[in-house]
Amino acid sequence: MMVKEELKKLAIKYLEVDLGVIDILEDITTEQHGQLKINLHKSGLELLDNKRAILVEGIKNIIIEMIHYSNVLPKVNYSDFISKKMDYDYTYLSNVFSEVKGITIQQFIILNKIERVKELLLYDELTLTEISYRLHYSSVAHLSNQFKKITGLTPTFYKGIANKRRRNLEDV
């Protein structure tokens, strides 16, 4: 809603504002662009007008949505899924992402999957087997190895630490 208000203040005609993307109906002046950038920044938002930055944000949003906010991951390869959603060749997307972020899309996916595993372990509603299945790991061992590689801890040890902290907080 905040973005729409800023667009109205600056008399910028738009078709749609959806998931961080503004579909503007006509060219805007340099002054309107600059003011929009400043106003959005004051609200904690960033105006991305660089094509590479926009692509990277799109890739990140797809991955975050896919891993953190969907209970069912796509049945196809992540590369095919991202390529289809972005409507670009995966090799191109991968190269741009790596150049801008300094890590590969695959590494970004793994980091997000491990963050999701941590969340699910803290909720304590699913077994490690169920988490492994939900996040499309080939096995619990694969999940555990990747988790330890990233965090330095086993999932079971991490869960134990989290539960101990929770109990300590409840005792206070």
Side-chain angles (χ1 to χ4, degrees):
M1 196 57 129
M2 175 183 359
V3 175
K4 289 179 181 178
E5 290 169 13
E6 291 300 332
L7 292 169
K8 284 179 186 169
K9 280 186 213 172
L10 296 169
I12 298 173
K13 295 178 183 166
Y14 63 92
L15 181 64
E16 182 179 28
V17 176
D18 185 40
L19 292 174
V21 177
I22 305 170
D23 192 359
I24 296 177
L25 290 173
E26 53 196 38
D27 289 338
I28 62 174
T29 66
T30 306
E31 186 178 297
Q32 285 174 313
H33 181 273
Q35 194 59 53
L36 181 61
K37 194 169 193 161
I38 290 166
N39 293 356
L40 291 177
H41 186 72
K42 286 178 186 173
S43 301
L45 300 172
E46 184 179 359
L47 180 62
L48 298 175
D49 47 11
N50 172 316
K51 185 178 179 183
R52 292 162 55 90
I54 292 168
L55 279 176
V56 168
E57 280 305 304
I59 295 165
K60 285 171 50 181
N61 289 338
I62 288 168
I63 292 167
I64 290 166
E65 175 73 27
M66 176 177 68
I67 292 172
H68 293 276
Y69 300 106
S70 174
N71 284 332
V72 181
L73 293 181
K75 299 269 187 245
V76 297
N77 290 336
Y78 294 135
S79 56
D80 293 339
F81 182 76
I82 294 166
S83 180
K84 186 173 182 175
K85 287 282 246 183
M86 295 292 295
D87 199 24
Y88 278 94
D89 175 69
Y90 184 78
T91 303
Y92 173 71
L93 293 174
S94 179
N95 289 336
V96 169
F97 191 91
S98 296
E99 288 170 16
V100 172
K101 296 301 292 174
I103 63 171
T104 66
I105 290 175
Q106 188 59 36
Q107 289 168 323
F108 187 77
I109 289 170
I110 290 168
L111 292 173
N112 276 275
K113 283 175 76 172
I114 295 304
E115 285 306 309
R116 184 68 177 139
V117 170
K118 287 179 183 178
E119 289 172 21
L120 293 171
L121 287 171
L122 292 177
Y123 294 151
D124 204 22
E125 295 172 0
L126 301 173
T127 66
L128 205 50
T129 302
E130 291 168 327
I131 293 170
S132 170
Y133 179 78
R134 180 177 283 186
L135 293 177
H136 288 245
Y137 279 94
S138 56
S139 66
V140 172
H142 182 218
L143 181 155
S144 296
N145 288 335
Q146 202 169 69
F147 191 93
K148 183 160 183 155
K149 190 174 181 182
I150 301 294
T151 66
L153 306 169
T154 66
T156 307
F157 190 77
Y158 176 84
K159 186 175 181 175
I161 291 171
N163 286 337
K164 187 174 181 181
R165 282 186 187 158
R166 190 175 325 132
R167 283 192 302 274
N168 288 341
L169 287 174
E170 290 169 358
D171 292 343
V172 172

